[in-house]
Amino acid sequence: LFDFQKDGAKGAIHKINSHNGCILADSVGLGKTYTALAVIKYYELRNLRVLVLCPKKLRDNWTVYLAQNNSELNPFLKDRFAYTVLSHTDLSRESGMVDGVNLATLNWGNFDLIIIDESHNFRNNTKGKRDEEGNVIRKSRYERLLQDIIQAGVKTKVMLLSATPVNNKFTDLKNQLALAYEGNSNNLTKNLKTRKSVDAIFKNAQRAFNDWAKLEPDQRTPKAILDSLDIDFFELLDSVTIARSRKHIQTFYDTTDIGRFPKRRAPMSYRCPLTTRNDVVSLNDIFDQLKSLKLSVYAPISYILPSRLKKYEELYDTQVEGGKGKLRQVDREKSLVALMTTNLLKRLESSVYSFRKTLQSLSDNHNRVLALINKFHSKGGVTEISDLEEAMDLLDDDDGEAFQEMSIGKKVQIQLMDMDLPSWQQDLSADLEMIDALLVSVSKITPKDDAKLQHLIKQVDNKIEKPI
């Protein structure tokens, strides 16, 4: 580690031991992961069990350092790291296997230290689904993390990593810190050298910020907001947070070993055609076809017979918090269909390969549901379908997490006998025909025909031949 990272690790360990938690909010590129690994090593040497919770797309950033991977990319093989890595999305699951970890039998309350990467994803203390009596049907991820991991079982210490712990209000920071003091602010207040409680400190800070935000632009200076914040707020931040910028490192540390921080170059933007071939559908045509897809495979509630609809409304429509109306399952499905359409466009923007892979999954889903309908017609009986499970696998991580927060978490069970099957079957078949036609067209594009890929290869070759 560089000296500033060593100081960060020592400071974090001291704050965690003193206050049960710490937020490491160093700027992007200052090595928060390496600093956190040093903290993990400190506690693993004391035989404590460590859990790393990270976004799904960052799993490889953490699993590469585990001893069991034996990866050539791991510079810490001798350290034999043995922490457990799970994704934020795993908090929404009751079962399943993740790299040998059985979520159904995992003792969530048995971890002594939790590292939460990108902790700003837990800036909202959201509530899960409740019934009319207020009983919990499904916990939110925040509730699951706080209640089933931190408050349950052994005493759990918390280290949060985020370059942006505050989005637009100080409550963002308060909710993340609440994970360290187990949701009871008195646990932190009693260890602080402050005159006010944690709740009062954040309330006053938010009021000061709101007043500052109303000032004229020329008066809305950093000095003005710093002067308006109470000294207790800075005492709180000093006790439980570490936040350094590149400027801070350059000012207060000998950067001989680090060298100069790289200067960010302006990005180079290029617009490439989809392919060099002439027998493939154009980007504009693909866009028009994607917009015309109904994606009814993810909207079965829309095809429920009017006489049977009330049953599903009672099962799956949920009361909005505060009693202001209901969140209907049919509206959730409309949101999901819109997300799926956007997601297909994002995959197309990413690469031909990514788009083709998603189209194939979409085709498989349609074929599976159509086969269920045909089986129901031929054999009769009651057949149930689910609308969300396959969709979650196709959505990008960010979109999937956002949708799951507004979904009911479990499969929506619908009986085919309650549906207008001819209409649904017709729309499914029409979508499938269009999806398969797109698949046939884009499957003609080999890597050498992929204009974007070939342009990227040329750029990389040029950088190798003529480095900066």
Side-chain angles (χ1 to χ4, degrees), residues 185-201:
S185 59
N186 290 331
N187 291 337
L188 178 58
T189 301
K190 64 186 179 184
N191 291 325
L192 295 176
K193 300 172 184 176
T194 59
R195 299 163 295 169
K196 303 184 184 73
S197 67
V198 170
D199 292 333
I201 291 170

Side-chain angles (χ1 to χ4, degrees), residues 18-81:
S18 301
H19 303 291
N20 208 58
C22 169
I23 294 183
L24 179 60
D26 283 350
S27 297
V28 173
L30 294 184
K32 289 188 291 295
T33 300
Y34 273 27
T35 303
L37 285 170
V39 174
I40 290 173
K41 187 62 184 173
Y42 172 87
Y43 286 106
E44 281 194 343
L45 286 171
R46 283 148 184 80
N47 294 320
L48 299 184
R49 293 168 293 274
V50 180
L51 169 66
V52 172
L53 274 176
C54 63
K56 194 173 182 180
K57 60 189 174 186
L58 298 183
R59 276 187 57 80
D60 290 348
N61 291 23
W62 289 96
T63 55
V64 70
Y65 302 119
L66 293 173
Q68 65 203 47
N69 279 357
N70 199 27
S71 169
E72 292 181 357
L73 299 175
N74 182 8
F76 307 125
L77 279 174
K78 292 180 180 179
D79 287 291
R80 302 187 62 80
F81 281 111

Side-chain angles (χ1 to χ4, degrees), residues 209 212-213 215-228:
F209 178 83
W212 173 82
L215 295 175
E216 294 298 322
D218 59 328
Q219 297 177 301
R220 207 182 308 140
T221 62
K223 184 179 186 304
I225 182 64
L226 290 174
D227 290 343
S228 63

Side-chain angles (χ1 to χ4, degrees), residues 127-144:
K127 298 291 188 292
K129 185 184 176 186
R130 266 66 170 169
D131 60 20
E132 293 180 357
E133 285 76 36
N135 299 313
V136 176
I137 296 175
R138 170 190 169 244
K139 294 179 180 178
S140 68
R141 286 180 194 162
Y142 189 96
E143 289 176 317
R144 185 93 190 276

Side-chain angles (χ1 to χ4, degrees), residues 67-104:
Q68 65 203 47
N69 279 357
N70 199 27
S71 169
E72 292 181 357
L73 299 175
N74 182 8
F76 307 125
L77 279 174
K78 292 180 180 179
D79 287 291
R80 302 187 62 80
F81 281 111
Y83 50 83
T84 301
V85 182
L86 293 174
S87 305
H88 293 173
T89 50
D90 292 329
L91 292 170
S92 302
R93 302 170 60 193
E94 300 291 339
S95 60
M97 299 293 293
V98 181
D99 288 347
V101 177
N102 188 343
L103 296 178

Side-chain angles (χ1 to χ4, degrees), residues 132-295:
E132 293 180 357
E133 285 76 36
N135 299 313
V136 176
I137 296 175
R138 170 190 169 244
K139 294 179 180 178
S140 68
R141 286 180 194 162
Y142 189 96
E143 289 176 317
R144 185 93 190 276
L145 175 57
L146 181 63
Q147 297 171 14
D148 295 356
I149 303 179
I150 295 171
Q151 292 176 341
V154 301
K155 181 73 173 176
T156 305
K157 301 179 185 299
V158 179
M159 182 177 185
L160 305 117
L161 310 179
S162 174
T164 54
V166 176
N167 184 19
N168 53 20
K169 56 186 184 297
F170 286 124
T171 309
D172 298 344
L173 182 61
K174 178 185 174 184
N175 287 335
Q176 291 169 73
L177 281 179
L179 297 171
Y181 55 70
E182 300 184 3
N184 182 358
S185 59
N186 290 331
N187 291 337
L188 178 58
T189 301
K190 64 186 179 184
N191 291 325
L192 295 176
K193 300 172 184 176
T194 59
R195 299 163 295 169
K196 303 184 184 73
S197 67
V198 170
D199 292 333
I201 291 170
F202 275 112
K203 186 176 181 180
N204 292 341
Q206 187 62 51
R207 185 186 299 117
F209 178 83
N210 293 341
D211 292 340
W212 173 82
K214 295 174 184 176
L215 295 175
E216 294 298 322
D218 59 328
Q219 297 177 301
R220 207 182 308 140
T221 62
K223 184 179 186 304
I225 182 64
L226 290 174
D227 290 343
S228 63
L229 289 169
D230 194 88
I231 189 66
D232 284 342
F233 182 69
F234 296 103
E235 168 64 24
L236 171 63
L237 292 185
D238 188 52
S239 298
V240 293
T241 69
I242 298 173
R244 285 91 54 88
S245 64
R246 292 188 177 190
K247 186 175 181 181
H248 176 100
I249 304 305
Q250 290 169 328
T251 303
F252 296 103
Y253 286 90
D254 180 359
T255 57
T256 304
D257 292 339
I258 306 173
R260 289 184 304 165
F261 285 112
K263 186 177 181 181
R264 188 182 297 274
R265 286 189 154 199
M268 297 181 292
S269 297
Y270 300 96
R271 288 183 178 272
C272 298
L274 187 65
T275 178
T276 53
R277 296 179 65 121
N278 297 319
D279 57 344
V280 175
V281 64
S282 70
L283 278 169
N284 286 335
D285 288 337
I286 292 176
F287 175 66
D288 290 336
Q289 291 184 46
L290 291 180
K291 283 201 303 181
S292 63
L293 287 175
K294 289 190 175 181
L295 294 177

